[in-house]
Amino acid sequence: MKCVSDIVYDPRHKLELDLYLPDNLTADACVIYMHGGGFRRGHRSHVEAGHFAQRLTDAGYAMAAISYRLRTDISAFSEDDQAHIQAQIERSEKVGLDLSPNLYGASFVAAMEDLSNAIEYLWVEGERLGIASRKLGILGISAGGIAGLALAYPPMPWVRRVSRPDAVVALSAAIVHPWRLEPNGPPCLMFHGPQDRIIDMGNAQLGAARAQQVGAPVTLIDTKVKGHVTQVDAVLDGTHHDGTPYMQLVLDQFARLRDEV
């Protein structure tokens, strides 16, 4: 595995990514890694990023671990967008989510926008960087997973302003706008476990139930592993009840990114 560090993908906000590539510096497709931290903290170089990068590059993918804006205040948005964000917060609460408002407020929207900008950067520069396919996946942890799932099914005021991924894998996350799910959206795979004190399993189940109702391609896997951060190790090293390693399910989800699929 090789890593090209500190690539500026968004000069306006001075945001960078680290691009992990197979040893031959060519990849079939690319997966964007979104770290967790509640949209308040965290970094793209967390140790788990390297673990996922190794698994993905071994399978022939590139992985772009991105930084994104943290602790974004609502004042960073236009008055119209501020009103939209507040309306979305209220609606999320009404549908039954019991998450911290930080996980679907202004900082969340900023992260979703930054993730979209990373997609657009890789669309333009991917071939030059050694990536064969223009299709892009997202692997998001906790808050990063929330942003990835939301970008797959973006809020209506942003639907024409952001670019959607082709597949999403989210760990310890939830769909914060379940009313936006639709049958023809990108496939999403969620891993979650019981006794998660940060993002309760019930929040993930709410989105999965809505997906089943409308026929959206969203799957929730209960790893049976307790806790929030423990889901990373569960997915890296654990096994589904049918005997399939969870990482194989992750790779199967991203197989659709390859141009020949």
Side-chain angles (χ1 to χ4, degrees):
M1 178 176 71
K2 308 292 185 184
C3 182
V4 184
S5 302
D6 306 327
I7 300 171
V8 177
Y9 76 88
D10 184 345
R12 178 186 171 194
H13 296 112
K14 300 179 181 179
L15 297 172
E16 298 175 334
L17 63 82
D18 297 333
L19 184 67
Y20 298 85
L21 289 159
D23 287 335
N24 63 3
L25 300 182
T26 60
D28 297 333
C30 185
V31 174
I32 298 174
Y33 175 84
M34 286 280 283
H35 67 78
F39 303 118
R40 300 173 65 81
R41 62 186 68 83
H43 196 273
R44 68 182 188 270
S45 63
H46 278 177
V47 63
E48 61 263 23
H51 293 316
F52 281 114
Q54 189 67 66
R55 301 294 186 90
L56 288 166
T57 55
D58 284 349
Y61 298 97
M63 191 187 91
I66 72 167
S67 292
Y68 54 89
R69 285 172 286 168
L70 301 173
R71 298 177 178 267
T72 306
D73 190 79
I74 198 166
S75 63
F77 294 90
S78 68
E79 289 187 6
D80 282 348
D81 283 348
Q82 290 180 35
H84 290 315
I85 291 168
Q86 188 56 47
Q88 288 165 186
I89 290 172
E90 293 171 1
R91 187 167 184 182
S92 293
E93 291 171 349
K94 286 181 180 177
V95 299
L97 290 172
D98 62 358
L99 303 172
S100 164
N102 292 329
L103 294 175
Y104 47 92
S107 294
F108 147 73
V109 174
M112 183 185 69
E113 290 179 343
D114 296 342
L115 180 54
S116 172
N117 289 336
I119 287 175
E120 291 165 11
Y121 173 85
L122 289 164
W123 278 346
V124 174
E125 301 293 341
E127 185 176 1
R128 177 182 67 81
L129 294 169
I131 301 164
S133 175
R134 196 168 181 268
K135 297 175 183 175
L136 288 157
I138 295 170
L139 172 60
I141 312 298
S142 189
I146 288 175
L149 293 166
L151 192 60
Y153 297 90
M156 184 59 74
W158 275 263
V159 73
R160 290 184 174 83
R161 289 193 267 166
V162 296
S163 297
R164 301 168 79 180
D166 296 285
V168 175
V169 173
L171 282 63
S172 303
I175 298 168
V176 295
H177 301 147
W179 59 90
R180 293 293 299 138
L181 292 169
E182 47 151 348
N184 298 318
C188 298
L189 177 61
M190 300 189 293
F191 292 93
H192 218 104
Q195 297 184 24
D196 186 330
R197 296 181 181 180
I198 297 174
I199 300 175
D200 186 82
M201 168 78 88
N203 295 288
Q205 291 171 331
L206 190 152
R210 174 64 177 171
Q212 186 173 26
Q213 206 174 47
V214 301
V218 175
T219 302
L220 172 62
I221 293 178
D222 180 356
T223 66
K224 311 297 183 184
V225 174
K226 298 176 182 178
H228 187 72
V229 297
T230 50
Q231 300 310 310
V232 170
D233 288 340
V235 171
L236 284 169
D237 300 317
T239 303
H240 192 265
H241 62 78
D242 68 1
T244 306
Y246 287 136
M247 267 309 300
Q248 186 58 54
L249 298 179
V250 172
L251 295 174
D252 290 346
Q253 178 79 341
F254 291 138
R256 69 191 73 241
L257 304 178
R258 289 186 161 103
D259 281 336
E260 67 267 21
V261 175

